[in-house]
Amino acid sequence: IFFTFSNEILFNNLNNDIQEIDLSHIKSTIKNLYVGLANQEIQNFNLAKHYFDKSIEYDSSLVSAWFSRACLEMEIDEFLQKFNASNNIITLNSQTNTQDRFLNESSADLDLAKHDLEMSIKLNPEFSLAHYNLGNLNCINAEFENAIFNYTQAISLDNEFSEAYFNRGLIRIYQENTKAGCNDLSKAGELGIKDAYFVIKKFCKLN
């Protein structure tokens, strides 16, 4: 499954949000959001969450703040899963202590991520990336029909959303809706996702 956490996308969306923000709040709101994004970039997750919380506290209408906090929780979940899968890697003591401290202090809150994505959509129903990442969360929770709905919403807003076609295609094949799934994968491949062709070769009958 493809996930999207691009800070470039967040910054672009933030530039749109700036037009909607009460100028009396803009300094604190934007400052906290940018500091949060900077800390997320260097995987200082706890501090990033603190600043996203503060940004939402200053202005709860800021779509980028809700979306950023949701993506942070999803990234923490992905980070922890990768870390747990690589426990057998030998590290220096100092690195191990840092990693252990992070694991003791951090955990992913995917319920919060779902709430924040739903808030992003409520504030901006045309934000295709929020629909897409909500689909990813529903897929993690094995809520496949909801995930398909979310991916379909994302595609309806952006008909070249290659990752949404790819993910929806994977779910449909898993559900044995092979024809629809293969059509989605074919579209994803046309839009540039090369992995789609490997799945097509394995699961789709070529005429």
Side-chain angles (χ1 to χ4, degrees):
I1 297 292
F2 284 83
F3 292 87
T4 303
F5 306 113
S6 170
N7 278 352
E8 179 182 355
I9 294 173
L10 295 178
F11 287 135
N12 288 340
N13 196 66
L14 176 58
N15 288 332
N16 293 331
D17 281 338
I18 287 174
Q19 308 303 319
E20 307 297 330
I21 297 173
D22 182 345
L23 292 179
S24 64
H25 294 293
I26 191 169
K27 184 174 180 180
S28 295
T29 304
I30 300 304
K31 176 183 176 181
N32 281 295
L33 183 51
Y34 270 93
V35 173
L37 290 170
N39 277 282
Q40 181 179 359
E41 189 73 21
I42 60 174
Q43 296 188 331
N44 193 344
F45 297 132
N46 291 329
L47 198 55
K49 184 176 184 301
H50 167 77
Y51 282 106
F52 292 150
D53 290 345
K54 295 294 289 183
S55 184
I56 292 170
E57 179 183 329
Y58 278 113
D59 191 336
S60 61
S61 68
L62 185 64
V63 177
S64 294
W66 294 102
F67 184 76
S68 297
R69 192 170 68 176
C71 290
L72 174 68
E73 295 297 339
M74 295 172 75
E75 186 175 357
I76 290 172
D77 180 67
E78 185 177 51
F79 178 88
L80 293 174
Q81 288 189 40
K82 288 180 178 179
F83 181 84
N84 291 332
S86 61
N87 274 339
N88 58 335
I89 297 177
I90 299 174
T91 59
L92 297 174
N93 288 336
S94 60
Q95 292 175 316
T96 302
N97 290 338
T98 300
Q99 291 166 337
D100 288 344
R101 187 163 59 251
F102 170 79
L103 291 174
N104 289 332
E105 294 176 354
S106 299
S107 61
D109 187 344
L110 295 183
D111 288 336
L112 177 64
K114 186 172 184 177
H115 169 267
D116 288 355
L117 289 171
E118 289 172 345
M119 281 297 301
S120 300
I121 293 168
K122 181 179 179 180
L123 291 167
N124 182 5
E126 296 184 356
F127 189 11
S128 62
L129 196 54
H131 290 280
Y132 171 75
N133 274 355
L134 185 55
N136 292 336
L137 271 181
N138 282 321
C139 191
I140 290 172
N141 293 326
E143 298 176 10
F144 297 124
E145 292 302 325
N146 288 337
I148 287 176
F149 174 80
N150 298 135
Y151 294 139
T152 301
Q153 289 293 103
I155 291 167
S156 71
L157 294 166
D158 178 2
N159 62 10
E160 294 189 351
F161 203 146
S162 56
E163 294 89 350
Y165 284 109
F166 184 83
N167 289 0
R168 190 175 70 176
L170 291 180
I171 294 175
R172 284 174 164 172
I173 287 177
Y174 175 78
Q175 293 180 324
E176 300 184 351
N177 186 1
T178 306
K179 182 178 180 179
C182 291
N183 287 339
D184 280 344
L185 291 171
S186 178
K187 183 66 174 180
E190 292 173 9
L191 291 171
I193 297 184
K194 302 304 181 185
D195 286 349
Y197 294 114
F198 293 103
V199 183
I200 289 172
K201 185 176 180 180
K202 185 172 183 180
F203 294 100
C204 303
K205 292 181 180 180
L206 302 177
N207 296 324

